[in-house]
Amino acid sequence: MSRLEGRVALVTGGLRGIGLATAERLAQDGAKVVVSDLSPESDPTVAEVLGRLGENASYISFNVAEEQGWKDAVATISERYGRLDVLVNNAGIDGTGKIHEMDFAVWRKVQAVNCDAAFLSAKYAYALLKSAGEQTAGGASIINVSSVMGFVSFPESSAYSTSKGGVRLFTKAAALEFATENVPIRVNSVHPGFVETPLLTEGFDRMVERGVAEKAEDLVGLVATSTPMNRLARPEEVAAVIAFLACDDASYVTGSEYVVDGGYLTR
């Protein structure tokens, strides 16, 4: 039997990058996967992704930064499946710029999508996760995708680093709260380094537009050589760690931060 057989998992930002790789891995491990993203259900990409995940997969379109979106999404999952065992908060956006030049609206949007969503998800999925957790040996699992930028930063990345650092500490606070109250929900964070994803490519393209580098390939080479393993990560390498935290093999793991960075933070 697959280690997530009979479990239901929600993966936000699941149509591409780490989210898509995670949805595929959890489906391979036997879970019924609910993919969420901003694209409407009519988007051809949705059909393509669901086709790859198999007949047990479904899709919900909602904005993770909006409170009502979470209320509706959890209600849909409850009606559709009657349980939620795994919640992967992966949806995220980049936001770069000098502090004195950045619009406050940009700052707030980055915090809302990257950090506020972690709170909203835990708040509104709490009852469904708690119920499912009481039925499994390892409990339910929340995995918050943060970043190495939750530990360190770069110039012009104040908004992104702040949001990812917030995710890191919210994870610990939620894990402690649930554990001390004997609530069977484990909460952990995953901190990827530089990963071959559309988000990274788009961020590099914007840096090229601002004159930081002549071409995106130069930036890819720079971050690769600054990583001890001398390459970028593949999305499935991050997904493998998320899948471990989702299953009963991680039954005694909560409040932890898993760095998947090829050794970047060792320097």
Side-chain angles (χ1 to χ4, degrees), residues 45-266:
T45 302
V46 174
E48 177 188 347
V49 168
L50 293 182
R52 291 166 61 173
L53 297 180
E55 60 182 9
N56 287 327
S58 62
Y59 180 76
I60 299 177
S61 174
F62 77 101
N63 187 338
V64 298
E66 295 179 355
E67 187 173 19
Q68 190 60 50
W70 276 106
K71 291 180 180 179
D72 294 343
V74 170
T76 298
I77 293 170
S78 179
E79 179 180 356
R80 188 177 294 171
Y81 298 102
R83 65 185 297 142
L84 179 62
D85 301 84
V86 179
L87 169 58
V88 182
N89 283 308
N90 167 76
I93 59 173
D94 195 5
T96 57
K98 297 182 184 297
I99 294 171
H100 67 282
E101 296 176 349
M102 183 181 296
D103 291 339
F104 185 52
V106 172
W107 171 276
R108 280 301 318 143
K109 183 176 181 180
V110 173
Q111 308 314 313
V113 174
N114 292 359
C115 191
D116 292 355
F119 163 75
L120 291 172
S121 69
K123 175 178 175 63
Y124 289 109
Y126 174 86
L128 208 55
L129 286 165
K130 180 176 181 290
S131 175
E134 291 169 345
Q135 303 171 45
T136 56
S141 178
I142 297 175
I143 302 109
N144 295 320
V145 180
S146 179
S147 168
V148 291
M149 299 290 278
F151 293 89
V152 297
S153 191
F154 294 109
E156 301 188 29
S157 63
S158 60
Y160 187 76
S161 290
T162 298
S163 69
K164 292 302 187 179
V167 169
R168 177 188 174 205
L169 287 181
F170 175 76
T171 296
K172 293 182 178 300
L176 180 61
E177 181 176 317
F178 295 162
T180 55
E181 295 181 356
N182 294 316
V183 176
I185 304 173
R186 297 178 292 104
V187 192
N188 295 284
S189 58
V190 173
H191 300 259
F194 300 101
V195 187
E196 297 172 351
T197 65
L199 182 65
L200 183 70
T201 301
E202 292 162 4
F204 283 167
D205 287 342
R206 285 193 293 271
M207 292 175 72
V208 170
E209 291 174 1
R210 298 203 313 273
V212 176
E214 289 187 4
K215 54 184 183 297
E217 290 78 6
D218 294 339
L219 295 171
V220 171
L222 178 63
V223 297
T225 55
S226 66
T227 300
M229 291 185 71
N230 201 38
R231 66 175 177 85
L232 275 63
R234 299 184 301 274
E236 56 266 28
E237 293 177 300
V238 181
V241 177
I242 294 173
F244 161 70
L245 292 170
C247 77
D248 291 346
D249 289 343
S251 60
Y252 199 58
V253 180
T254 195
S256 295
E257 48 202 29
Y258 279 69
V259 178
V260 190
D261 70 344
Y264 184 83
L265 291 183
T266 61

